[in-house]
Amino acid sequence: MASIGTKNYEPTVARKVAFLGLGVMGLPMAGHLARAGHDVTVYNRSPGKARAWVEEFGGRSAPTPREAAAGAQIVFACVGNDDDLRSVVLGADGAFAGMAPGAVFVDHTTASADVARELYAKAKELGLNFVDAPVSGGQAGAVNGVLTIMCGGEQAVFDAIKPVAEAFGRAVTLVGAPGAGQLAKMVNQICIAGIVQGLSEAIAFGQAAGLDMKLVLDVISKGAAQSWQMENRGGTMVDDKFDFGFAVDWMRKDLGLVLAEARNNGARLPLTALVDQFYGDVQKMGGGRWDTSSLIKRLRD
Ligand SMILES: NC(=O)c1ccc[n+]([C@@H]2O[C@H](COP(=O)([O-])OP(=O)(O)OC[C@H]3O[C@@H](n4cnc5c(N)ncnc54)[C@H](OP(=O)(O)O)[C@@H]3O)[C@@H](O)[C@H]2O)c1
């Protein structure tokens, strides 16, 4: 079965690109680049995923980020966290060591604004370019090539990468200077934390009251309480199904970045800090890999 959905790509000049990190998100994102006509070389730490990707999509795989990045006009990456990102970018086998002057590194990892600024500065020293570009839209967004992409960087560099990133993105937007993409993603995660807790309380309340909650959600999702979480996760929350989607472990990583940034900028995040602790409870229940909508489990078990 194909691991990506079909998409009508806007015509664009074919580029030589690399993609580092073929996880849940990276594998389909790199697949859309290949299907859109770009010349793609992939790298993955565990080589089996890279071999499987090449079998499905063509292109090439390389044994190190440096070799994957050699000759690429744009190097995309989507790995786990700040340290993972540094390990594919820096050092003798890192992507920066292989990139030619003028090439652009586009990072789709959800990471800190600090590491984005650090790698932007390092890139500039080497005559390279760097854009932080975390994504929203989940696995389904990556599979269907409809991610929302929040970018931080320079306008001219952003303009050059935007048509290429549109292979897997629906809304690709420059929101500000280096690091601003990561800060925008933090805003996104703050919104999600509060919404999922509210939705959890609402569904648990409705079930305790004996309501047909699928019917109730269907009705209220046409009114002011509507949200992406309600439409896409409400039904599975009612059914107590969480074995898919965006893992609680990743959400805790993201909320850790949010709370650290808030300590720097002085923003007050009482609800986000509380929900972060609730996600800690879910981890203790064994739910680290459950979808973030599993917040409702605390209210049931
Ligand atoms: N999943 C979602 O719904 C979602 C949505 C929005 C944003 N994100 C963000 O996107 C990023 C990736 O998420 P994902 O769900 O795709 O994760 P994932 O399935 O766990 O994949 C992580 C990828 O990073 C690679 N990697 C991790 N550490 C590495 C290291 N030290 N050196 C080299 N490669 C390393 C992994 O290689 P191996 O295969 O060798 O382990 C794998 O290819 C995260 O920052 C996440 O927060 C995820």
Side-chain angles (χ1 to χ4, degrees), residues 5-194:
T6 50
K7 174 169 174 171
N8 290 324
Y9 303 101
E10 290 294 324
T12 178
V13 181
R15 304 277 181 198
K16 189 165 163 37
V17 305
F19 204 105
L20 316 178
L22 302 174
V24 167
M25 300 298 283
L27 186 143
M29 291 162 80
H32 281 293
L33 287 168
R35 288 274 190 274
H38 300 292
D39 175 4
V40 187
T41 302
V42 294
Y43 160 80
N44 196 67
R45 178 178 57 180
S46 37
K49 283 187 205 165
R51 274 197 298 274
W53 188 93
V54 170
E55 254 171 49
E56 183 173 356
F57 296 105
R60 283 173 301 281
S61 72
T64 63
R66 178 177 57 79
E67 288 163 271
Q73 294 160 298
I74 308 173
V75 179
F76 297 92
C78 190
V79 294
N81 60 27
D82 284 22
D83 286 342
D84 301 334
L85 178 61
R86 287 193 187 92
S87 79
V88 296
V89 170
L90 303 173
D93 279 332
F96 279 5
M99 289 166 69
V104 187
F105 192 100
V106 181
D107 177 36
H108 296 295
T109 309
T110 303
S112 68
D114 286 345
V115 78
R117 294 184 199 108
E118 169 195 322
L119 294 178
Y120 170 84
K122 185 79 193 160
K124 288 279 121 183
E125 269 172 47
L126 297 168
L128 305 172
N129 298 293
F130 184 92
V131 178
D132 51 295
V135 303
S136 171
Q139 181 176 9
V143 166
N144 295 313
V146 294
L147 291 168
T148 294
I149 310 181
M150 299 149 259
C151 300
E154 295 167 20
Q155 185 73 54
V157 175
F158 169 79
D159 291 344
I161 61 106
K162 182 179 180 209
V164 186
E166 279 172 342
F168 49 79
R170 181 165 55 192
V172 187
T173 308
L174 183 69
V175 292
Q182 295 296 352
L183 294 170
K185 172 76 183 184
M186 291 178 205
V187 172
N188 186 78
Q189 299 308 69
I190 294 166
C191 293
I192 288 176

Side-chain angles (χ1 to χ4, degrees), residues 250-263 276:
W250 281 143
M251 187 59 164
R252 279 222 90 194
K253 179 221 12 153
D254 294 1
L255 295 179
L257 296 169
V258 166
L259 295 169
E261 189 66 38
R263 277 192 291 279
D276 177 55

Side-chain angles (χ1 to χ4, degrees), residues 186-273:
M186 291 178 205
V187 172
N188 186 78
Q189 299 308 69
I190 294 166
C191 293
I192 288 176
I195 287 170
V196 176
Q197 177 61 16
L199 187 57
S200 297
E201 292 183 18
I203 292 173
F205 169 90
Q207 288 182 313
L211 290 173
D212 174 348
M213 277 310 293
K214 291 228 174 134
L215 178 63
V216 172
L217 290 178
D218 190 48
V219 173
I220 68 172
S221 65
K222 294 172 182 66
Q226 186 275 346
S227 66
W228 185 97
Q229 297 292 337
M230 181 180 287
E231 293 209 334
N232 292 279
R233 297 289 184 262
T236 44
M237 289 166 83
V238 171
D239 290 339
D240 207 38
K241 292 206 173 89
F242 306 107
D243 195 14
F244 60 91
F246 182 57
V248 167
D249 287 343
W250 281 143
M251 187 59 164
R252 279 222 90 194
K253 179 221 12 153
D254 294 1
L255 295 179
L257 296 169
V258 166
L259 295 169
E261 189 66 38
R263 277 192 291 279
N264 285 337
N265 69 18
R268 298 178 64 229
L269 300 176
L271 181 60
T272 307

